[in-house]
Amino acid sequence: MRAVIAEDSVLLRIGVVKVLEMAGFEVVAETGDAETLLSVVEEYRPDIAVVDVRMPPGFTDEGVRAALVIKRQSPNTAVLLLSQYVEERYAADLLSAHTSGIGYLLKQRVADVEEFADTLRKVAAGGTVLDPQVVSQLLVRRHSDPLDRLTVRERQVLESMASGRSNAGTAEQLVISESAVAKHINSIFTKLDLPKADADHRRVLAVLRFLGVS
């Protein structure tokens, strides 16, 4: 799979390149600004773009705005945003318009090479992965709504789903069986009044409900 990287910190960019290559990706282009990022994505049509949230010239939300353009113009290109701090509104901006091939991680996660590589593969394959700190912060801020119907364990399962874990990963994290996870997920779908559809679509809808963007 092919990848492009947009990160203004040269040292971090070098590190991300190494991790991508170790994970089996071919890095076809790297840049330090959003404008060039859009150009190389249009040229190479990569499988994934790893993008810093804040880049020149303003160091505000250049990466997020570029990511939205990428998902609109090149929907088959997945986007993994990297941020220095928890800024969950940026994750919400992306998820409100796109429900696949999206990731949002804190930069500190890059240090865990194996986990970061796994996240890259999940997002490139069309998955949605959110940093656990973003998920936790959203959970604290949520007010009374249908999510209040969920049990403590169901909320733990939903939080794990929002972090991008599979049923097996959730089972391992919560130390329960995969069949128990599946039962909790079906209960979550029922309590959130989600219409019957394919399992992956309902998972996305449940996570979006959890994040407050649907």
Side-chain angles (χ1 to χ4, degrees):
M1 290 185 285
R2 303 195 305 167
V4 300
I5 299 171
E7 166 61 57
D8 63 285
S9 169
V10 176
L11 289 177
L12 181 57
R13 190 163 73 233
I14 292 173
V16 174
V17 169
K18 293 297 183 183
V19 175
L20 280 161
E21 291 175 344
M22 290 170 60
F25 289 85
E26 175 192 1
V27 179
V28 295
E30 52 183 283
T31 181
D33 65 89
E35 184 176 352
T36 306
L37 167 64
L38 294 177
S39 297
V40 296
V41 167
E42 183 177 3
E43 179 179 356
Y44 293 104
R45 301 292 178 177
D47 297 289
I48 189 169
V50 181
V51 183
D52 185 10
V53 166
R54 299 171 181 263
M55 289 189 291
F59 293 97
T60 54
D61 63 348
E62 289 82 2
V64 179
R65 287 188 279 113
L68 289 169
V69 173
I70 290 170
K71 294 301 293 182
R72 184 173 66 250
Q73 297 181 348
S74 305
N76 292 327
T77 296
V79 177
L80 175 60
L81 283 173
L82 296 178
S83 179
Q84 188 71 38
Y85 311 102
V86 176
E87 297 173 293
E88 71 273 11
R89 71 182 184 278
Y90 293 148
D93 285 346
L94 280 175
L95 286 167
S96 64
H98 308 281
T99 58
S100 64
I102 290 292
Y104 183 100
L105 288 183
L106 294 181
K107 291 183 178 181
Q108 66 194 49
R109 308 295 177 193
V110 178
D112 188 331
V113 174
E114 186 175 344
E115 182 178 351
F116 183 60
D118 186 50
T119 296
L120 287 166
R121 296 188 192 99
K122 286 180 180 177
V123 174
T128 301
V129 179
L130 297 178
D131 193 281
Q133 287 193 33
V134 176
V135 174
S136 297
Q137 196 157 309
L138 287 168
L139 182 61
V140 169
R141 293 186 181 188
R142 180 162 298 285
H143 301 291
S144 178
D145 59 23
L147 289 172
D148 292 334
R149 305 171 189 168
L150 305 183
T151 65
V152 172
R153 178 63 84 187
E154 288 166 351
R155 292 177 72 89
Q156 290 173 337
V157 170
L158 183 52
E159 182 176 352
S160 183
M161 288 167 55
S163 296
R165 290 185 179 88
S166 63
N167 284 16
T170 297
E172 181 179 358
Q173 181 200 23
L174 300 178
V175 196
I176 57 178
S177 67
E178 287 189 51
S179 61
V181 171
K183 290 179 181 178
H184 286 310
I185 290 175
N186 286 331
S187 179
I188 290 168
F189 292 159
T190 299
K191 290 181 178 181
L192 296 185
D193 301 317
L194 295 176
K196 289 187 176 181
D198 68 85
D200 288 340
H201 183 61
R202 295 178 86 188
R203 287 175 73 96
V204 171
L205 289 176
V207 169
L208 290 177
R209 190 74 56 82
F210 174 72
L211 295 174
V213 295
S214 72

